[in-house]
Amino acid sequence: MPEATTVRTTTGAHHVQLAADYFHSYSVVGLMGVVGVLFVAMAFGAGRLLRPVVPTPEKLLTYECGVDPVGEGWAHTQIRYYVYAFLYVIFAVDAIFLFPWATVFAAPGFGGTTLVEMFLFLGFLAVGLLYAWKKGVLAWT
């Protein structure tokens, strides 16, 4: 009987050690997060203490790009600029997914499955681009 108890104690101690190692990894991440937040807070605090504060009417005036405001603050912007920006972001983010795919594709045993998944992914992108082209979104007028 004492041998069985020793085995259980050793196994339990092993699990406790694994749990401690697991949480130690996260404590390092948490400590780095706290250090980062404190660094930013100290930088903002030092900036607030060291900057000169002399409010004048000129400093309190709203302006954009150094030009005094004239007329209303409302400006009409065409939607196509946002559509181009949105399409750029979509394809830029999707291009980022190609790099991990190329890394995994080079690993042994993942070739066929990864290739099918990526062509499916690129197919969805092509359908989206074809849809945008058919709707006339890509035509700059």
Side-chain angles (χ1 to χ4, degrees), residues 10-113:
T10 305
T11 305
H14 181 67
H15 288 303
V16 169
Q17 182 62 34
L18 286 175
D21 290 342
Y22 177 77
F23 287 116
H24 179 356
S25 299
Y26 281 107
S27 65
V28 170
V29 172
L31 180 63
M32 291 303 292
V34 169
V35 168
V37 168
L38 286 175
F39 182 76
V40 171
M42 287 177 55
F44 276 115
R48 186 178 182 104
L49 291 174
L50 297 176
R51 72 174 178 234
V53 180
V54 184
T56 62
E58 290 81 19
K59 287 184 179 179
L60 298 176
L61 181 66
T62 304
Y63 71 95
E64 183 174 342
C65 300
V67 178
D68 291 334
V70 177
E72 296 181 17
W74 181 258
H76 183 72
T77 304
Q78 295 193 14
I79 190 68
R80 69 173 169 232
Y81 299 122
Y82 295 110
V83 172
Y84 277 105
F86 187 64
L87 285 172
Y88 171 76
V89 168
I90 288 173
F91 286 104
V93 169
D94 293 336
I96 291 172
F97 285 121
L98 294 175
F99 293 108
W101 169 74
T103 305
V104 171
F105 186 67
F110 290 104
T113 306

